[in-house]
């Protein structure tokens, strides 16, 4: 039997564990719909772009160090925040999605 564990992390938790900030991109579908998603990470120390896979590997390893994820777990998957946002005429700033999902199986 496989047991799948889901860990839901806030953006700021992921940024702290990765040592990098999430970089979002927005695609305007039409004047009232904007799709927002994570493009990459940006290192807080060097300012360089960090590929999403590399940053999430660091998050995974940090969670293993903290004992949140068992040491024997080697594989994981993740889902970055993404959503379609509606923009009202009186509110032109979109809210960024706030959850990153990391899963693993034992």
């Amino acid at each position: 039997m496989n047991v799948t564990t889901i860990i839901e992390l806030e953006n700021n938790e992921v940024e702290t564990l990765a040592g990098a900030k999430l970089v979002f991109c927005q695609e305007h579908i039409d004047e009232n719909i904007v799709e927002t998603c994570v493009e990459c990470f940006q290192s807080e120390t060097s300012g360089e772009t960090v590929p999403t896979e590399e940053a999430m590997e660091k998050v995974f390893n940090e969670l293993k160090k903290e004992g949140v994820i068992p040491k024997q777990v080697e594989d994981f998957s993740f889902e970055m925040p993404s959503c379609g946002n509606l923009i009202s005429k009186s509110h032109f700033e979109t809210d960024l999605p706030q959850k990153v999902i990391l899963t693993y199986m034992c």
Side-chain angles (χ1 to χ4, degrees):
M1 171 183 0
N2 289 325
V3 176
T4 302
T5 302
I6 299 171
I7 300 173
E8 189 175 85
L9 300 159
E10 297 287 336
N11 288 355
N12 60 345
E13 294 173 305
V14 171
E15 291 174 338
T16 299
L17 291 166
K21 293 284 186 190
L22 290 164
V23 176
F24 288 89
C25 65
Q26 295 183 340
E27 181 182 347
H28 291 271
I29 307 302
D30 69 24
E31 69 180 64
N32 294 320
I33 299 175
V34 175
E35 184 170 86
T36 305
C37 62
V38 174
E39 185 173 331
C40 62
F41 285 75
Q42 184 174 22
S43 172
E44 292 178 338
T45 54
S46 68
E48 292 181 19
T49 299
V50 179
T52 303
E53 293 78 16
E54 185 178 314
M56 289 307 296
E57 183 79 32
K58 185 171 181 182
V59 169
F60 176 74
N61 289 330
E62 289 295 322
L63 291 173
K64 282 176 73 170
K65 265 197 246 180
E66 292 176 8
V68 175
I69 297 173
K71 294 196 182 300
Q72 70 269 21
V73 175
E74 295 181 15
D75 296 324
F76 70 100
S77 63
F78 62 90
E79 182 179 324
M80 301 307 294
S82 174
C83 70
N85 294 319
L86 296 176
I87 301 175
S88 67
K89 291 183 180 184
S90 62
H91 191 259
F92 290 101
E93 196 169 312
T94 59
D95 294 326
L96 294 176
Q98 293 296 314
K99 302 286 183 189
V100 174
I101 308 295
L102 188 138
T103 59
Y104 65 89
M105 288 180 30
C106 293

